[in-house]
Amino acid sequence: MIADIVVAVLMLTGATMAFTASIGILRFPDTMTRMHAATKPQTLGLILVLLGAGVRLWDTIDFGMLVLSGIFALITAPVIAHRVGKLAYQEQRIRDDLIDSDDVESPRTD
């Protein structure tokens, strides 16, 4: 009974986070803000949904697959966000009022 409530809360919260991430991707104006919406709340929503499924599948072999899926998402999301942000900066597809060019310049090694 209590496990069902915990599963429901985790699943609904995770689904809500993923839903707000999708709204952010559609509504935000440029690549940098869309990238934030695509990585932060979406990853948290996925982890919450996986935790909810993990509570339900605790004593089965499928629990290991849930753990691997969560680890994979946590490892790949920051790398992908970094690459997309760097590419957007290089292609000049960012708003000038959001980022200062000194923030992303490589440090000099004089």
Side-chain angles (χ1 to χ4, degrees):
M1 175 75 176
I2 300 232
D4 292 337
I5 294 171
V6 169
V7 168
V9 168
L10 287 171
M11 292 278 192
L12 289 175
T13 306
T16 303
M17 293 295 290
F19 180 67
T20 57
S22 66
I23 291 173
I25 291 170
L26 293 175
R27 299 290 308 257
F28 286 151
D30 67 337
T31 304
M32 294 297 186
T33 53
R34 286 179 182 166
M35 179 182 60
H36 177 76
T39 56
K40 306 290 186 206
Q42 189 273 336
T43 303
L44 179 62
L46 174 67
I47 296 301
L48 290 174
V49 168
L50 290 175
L51 283 173
V55 170
R56 174 63 60 202
L57 300 172
W58 177 254
D59 56 351
T60 65
I61 192 87
D62 298 329
F63 181 76
M65 293 305 287
L66 293 174
V67 171
L68 289 176
S69 299
I71 290 171
F72 182 73
L74 287 175
I75 290 172
T76 58
V79 174
I80 292 169
H82 179 264
R83 294 300 301 153
V84 168
K86 190 172 182 178
L87 180 65
Y89 179 75
Q90 289 172 346
E91 295 290 322
Q92 300 297 323
R93 298 194 187 274
I94 57 174
R95 288 181 18 204
D96 292 333
D97 60 332
L98 293 179
I99 193 166
D100 187 19
S101 63
D102 294 337
D103 291 339
V104 290
E105 292 295 324
S106 299
R108 291 186 181 189
T109 57
D110 292 336

